[in-house]
Amino acid sequence: MQKLIRYLAISMIAMGISNSYASNATQVKVNAIHSNYAQTKYPIIFVHGVAGFSRVGSDPLGVDYWHQILPDLARNGANVWAARLSPFNSNEIRGEQLLQQTEEILAITGAQKVNFIAHSQGGPTSRYVAAMKPDAVASLTSVSGTHKGSPVASLLMKSNGTILGHAGIAMTNFFSAATVWAQGLDPKSYPHDAAAAGHSISVEGSAQFNAQFPMGVPTTACGEGAYQENGIYLYSFSGTQPVTNLLDPLDLMFGGTSLIVDPKGDNDGMVSRCSAKFGRTIRDNLYWNHADEVNQVLGLRSIFAPNPVDIYRQHANRLKLQGL
């Protein structure tokens, strides 16, 4: 079945682009390395979520999805890469893109494996690669992954097939293409499918994906998953505070969507604490919303919240000490 899924994914990519697919994963380099604190054995690939990107714009006004996180890791010895995937598409399509980028990074670096650190939809996207090529993955760390789906996506998918739904999908696909263009890439090089993305991160779509790719997903409602499968170490952490800084323009949105995710709270505005559970849970109560988890917008967060840059650096050291 997995071979069939991969064949269909590759076929859909081929139909969705005019030129051969260019992966364009980017390595983060710095002028000086200050320590080897984050120097893992294997390269680290950061995998963005839905609506994500590697970097939009150029210096000095360019914006990184993983704000300030990747350069800090590089300064502390890590070999860090940022994946560039379709901002809106299915787990399988994005997974095929990530698989190609992983193979290219292995060829460039000479490494045998990689460590994935993935946010939101990046979680199941990375799980696809771990299932298709487990011998190339040393660890997979999920940051508020949509492993059991988001009720926000489920609600939006109910309009699919209506005039409003068609308009929303068209607008989202346009935004997806614009995001790719803003990275200096040809929008036609990446297929855009908002409906497929919405289904993949919905509760219903996630259940279907988990039936095919169960690695690391808890078998209970809110328990932990396996700590290791197929030689791959599995970790997760997540935030549970939708509103953290009123100066952050995204906080108002997360405050509203949090009521859809879980009216009692216990979510980051998009993903519930239980849905984010994956493998070994490091922290599932960080004072972050869904954007704070990648240090956005531009580092705005609560004064009570830990600095995401510090948390990722500490996790890289955890991987290093694990021999990964």
Side-chain angles (χ1 to χ4, degrees), residues 16-317:
I17 61 179
S18 59
N19 302 311
S20 61
Y21 174 68
S23 65
N24 288 297
T26 56
Q27 184 178 21
V28 177
K29 298 181 179 181
V30 291
N31 293 328
I33 296 176
H34 302 307
S35 81
N36 63 357
Y37 182 80
Q39 189 175 359
T40 55
K41 178 178 180 180
Y42 303 112
I44 304 175
I45 304 178
F46 278 75
V47 187
H48 65 72
V50 66
F53 51 89
S54 171
R55 179 178 178 82
V56 295
S58 56
D59 291 333
L61 300 177
V63 177
D64 294 314
Y65 182 89
W66 308 88
H67 182 63
Q68 298 180 337
I69 295 168
L70 275 59
D72 177 83
L73 291 175
R75 284 190 292 270
N76 285 280
N79 185 352
V80 189
W81 297 74
R84 282 175 169 169
L85 311 177
S86 294
F88 290 87
N89 217 312
S90 68
N91 296 333
E92 294 82 2
I93 296 296
R94 285 163 46 92
E96 279 297 318
Q97 295 170 351
L98 180 60
L99 178 56
Q100 180 173 330
Q101 292 179 35
T102 299
E103 291 173 340
E104 291 178 355
I105 290 169
L106 291 175
I108 292 170
T109 63
Q112 294 181 324
K113 298 183 178 185
V114 300
N115 294 299
F116 286 131
I117 296 182
H119 179 237
S120 193
Q121 193 190 2
T125 299
S126 301
R127 284 168 47 206
Y128 176 91
V129 178
M132 293 298 177
K133 199 175 180 68
D135 58 335
V137 183
S139 72
L140 197 171
T141 302
S142 172
V143 184
S144 194
T146 54
H147 299 294
K148 293 189 177 180
S150 172
V152 176
S154 295
L155 179 62
L156 292 174
M157 289 305 294
K158 290 182 178 180
S159 66
N160 196 20
T162 67
I163 294 177
L164 182 63
H166 288 311
I169 289 172
M171 291 177 61
T172 304
N173 285 338
F174 175 81
F175 173 78
S176 181
T179 301
V180 172
W181 175 82
Q183 296 177 76
L185 305 171
D186 181 0
K188 294 181 180 179
S189 297
Y190 296 80
H192 311 284
D193 192 335
H199 178 72
S200 284
I201 63 175
S202 69
V203 174
E204 299 77 13
S206 296
Q208 294 172 7
F209 184 79
N210 292 343
Q212 294 296 326
F213 305 97
M215 179 184 292
V217 178
T219 56
T220 58
C222 201
E224 292 192 321
Y227 289 5
Q228 185 179 5
E229 290 191 35
N230 293 335
I232 303 171
Y233 289 82
L234 309 174
Y235 304 94
S236 65
F237 55 90
S238 61
T240 53
Q241 187 67 32
V243 179
T244 60
N245 190 319
L246 295 179
L247 297 178
D248 190 330
L250 294 179
D251 277 39
L252 180 61
M253 178 187 75
F254 288 137
T257 55
S258 69
L259 300 178
I260 300 172
V261 177
D262 184 355
K264 296 181 181 179
D266 212 20
N267 68 86
D268 66 0
M270 288 297 294
V271 179
S272 72
R273 180 177 65 88
C274 294
S275 180
K277 289 273 195 176
F278 173 81
R280 176 187 175 187
T281 303
I282 299 170
R283 292 279 300 276
D284 63 354
N285 60 349
L286 290 161
Y287 204 90
W288 293 342
N289 62 31
H290 203 64
D292 295 335
E293 290 156 354
V294 292
N295 203 27
Q296 294 289 359
V297 172
L298 301 179
L300 288 173
R301 63 183 185 280
S302 169
I303 60 174
F304 303 107
N307 187 337
V309 177
D310 295 337
I311 295 295
Y312 283 93
R313 187 191 316 115
Q314 292 163 10
H315 184 60
N317 181 256

